[in-house]
Amino acid sequence: MGAGDATPKSDREKDDAEVLKRLKHTAYHGEVETGAGRDALTAEQAHRVLDFGLRLGKELTLSGFDTQTVESSVIAATTSLGLTHLEVDIAAQTIHLQYAPQRGVPVSMMRVTRGADTRNLQRMASLHRLVERIVEGGLDVRRAADALRRIQSAQPRWPWWVRVAGGGVLAASVTLQVGGSLWAALTAFGVLAAADRTGWLLTRIDIPYFFVMAAQAALIVVVGVVLLDTGYLFPYGTAVVAANLVVLLPIVPLVALPQDAITGFSLMAATRAVNVTLAFAGLITGVAVAVSLIEEAGSTLWTVDIDHSTLPFALGLLVSTIAAGGNCVSMGGTRRLLPAALAAGLLAGAVNMLMSRLFSLAALSVLCAAAVLGLLAVVCGPRLRMPPAAFIVPGVTGALLPSLQVYQSLSQLTAGRQGAMNAVLTALVATAAIGVGLVLGKVLGNNLVYYTARLLPENRTGSTGSKNGGTAPAGKGRTNRRGGRGRTTAGAR
């Protein structure tokens, strides 16, 4: 009898070890109860948990999380609900889950993640808290599914005009960062509002995304032409154009793209690359159409030069902080998320400006700032019960966007100047540095949190007598919040 039980037990231990391995270097490293000795779920129970896992993964993907976070969240939630023999495959616009117990019939389900990118910080925070509650053992699958439905049906926290105003504040701040005057910043606010409403109107009549981006870019450039030809804001019209073109960029997938590539999700990275390239192509098309009109009018939009010198340190910190706050509001962030966004903008701006004084290479300064931002987001996020993205997205947008590089690459490409490809390469390197730095910071942060938790005396003592065979310490002090162990089997019922 003992020999007959040895193999299944060994298989269960291998499955538990595989789950823990797949959560390594993520926020759930050492957080998940694998439930050694737990009975396999029935087909009906497995179907419920799989369906919930697919819907959760879809919402996480559409909200803008990078693929590693989506995978680790789905694994952590479904494992806590009883699925310890789970395979996850996220590719392009599909999520495929397979539950294959050692002594049972495999169950496989798939869901298409096609849909609109919500880019909603409040939804990201709600989904993050939902996964945390499941991991802590506070929800069974029925209550988790109900909570997910409430998140899906929740209305935006702010009315449209507040979100547009947040975007306008971001555009005004970026205008100051690229050398514009205060009056130019106020003008950029109005231009952003006009471009945003134009995009909203075209989207309402089902115009494809490519043409929406082209129309918005053309409108921005034409406004820049008018500003220069009439002498209004001369020569700061270029700063208004640069700021608004950069704000149009799809920031969330742009940041997630290099993260997916580095963490091994090459197919998802390729998918994001296609989407980002499509957005850039829309911008270039719109700019090119406007440039043809500019040449006929004899405008000098691309030849006007302004002083792009760096803002004084204190003023630069203030502008970065305000820009991060504006981005938070424009992405639906609530008052609870706003302080974190402001702090992220202040931190990223400070590190970026300090590093730029030490290194002449802008991409290196951005990489260092992104690494520090990613590390502190991972360390501070769980303690404030916020996803790291609540810090990362506003911090990156407020202080690290390669505004001048993107503007110069677009202008030189459309004007057909020599050295245009060098300008494009510079913009790509500066953008990729953000993702590389974030991955580095998140890996360092997750390991710092995990190994610091292991060194705490209470965790070392508590982990030795665990009923789960000492899988891992709770880290971050979540053991007490779970309210006990071995509850996930009941949660699948």
Side-chain angles (χ1 to χ4, degrees), residues 403-416:
S403 306
L404 282 178
Q405 293 91 332
V406 171
Y407 171 75
Q408 290 168 353
S409 63
L410 287 174
S411 62
Q412 293 186 26
L413 271 178
T414 53

Side-chain angles (χ1 to χ4, degrees), residues 187-379:
T187 304
F189 185 105
V191 174
L192 185 281
D196 181 273
R197 290 297 89 190
T198 300
W200 173 82
L201 179 62
L202 295 177
T203 303
R204 286 292 299 268
I205 57 178
D206 297 325
I207 300 297
Y209 176 67
F210 173 87
F211 297 106
V212 173
M213 290 289 289
Q216 290 177 303
L219 173 63
I220 291 170
V221 174
V222 168
V223 170
V225 172
V226 173
L227 293 177
L228 287 175
D229 286 349
T230 59
Y232 180 77
L233 291 181
F234 186 88
Y236 298 111
T238 54
V240 174
V241 174
N244 278 276
L245 288 178
V246 170
V247 171
L248 282 184
L249 293 176
I251 304 300
V252 174
L254 194 63
V255 171
L257 193 163
Q259 294 185 69
D260 286 349
I262 294 172
T263 53
F265 297 95
S266 55
L267 188 56
M268 282 299 298
T271 302
R272 293 189 194 274
V274 170
N275 294 332
V276 171
T277 302
L278 182 66
F280 270 104
L283 285 179
I284 293 173
T285 301
V287 171
V289 170
V291 164
S292 65
L293 300 176
I294 292 169
E295 290 177 346
E296 293 176 6
S299 178
T300 57
L301 180 66
W302 303 139
T303 60
V304 172
D305 190 23
I306 62 175
D307 182 11
H308 295 302
S309 59
T310 306
L311 292 172
F313 188 81
L315 182 58
L317 288 182
L318 177 62
V319 171
S320 296
T321 304
I322 294 174
N327 175 255
C328 179
V329 174
S330 70
M331 293 184 63
T334 61
R335 286 188 293 268
R336 181 174 178 273
L337 299 178
L338 188 57
L342 295 174
L346 178 65
L347 172 69
V351 176
N352 188 28
M353 285 188 286
L354 287 173
M355 290 298 102
S356 64
R357 285 163 170 75
L358 297 176
F359 306 107
S360 58
L361 186 61
L364 183 58
S365 302
V366 169
L367 187 148
C368 293
V372 173
L373 180 63
L375 188 151
L376 292 184
V378 168
V379 172

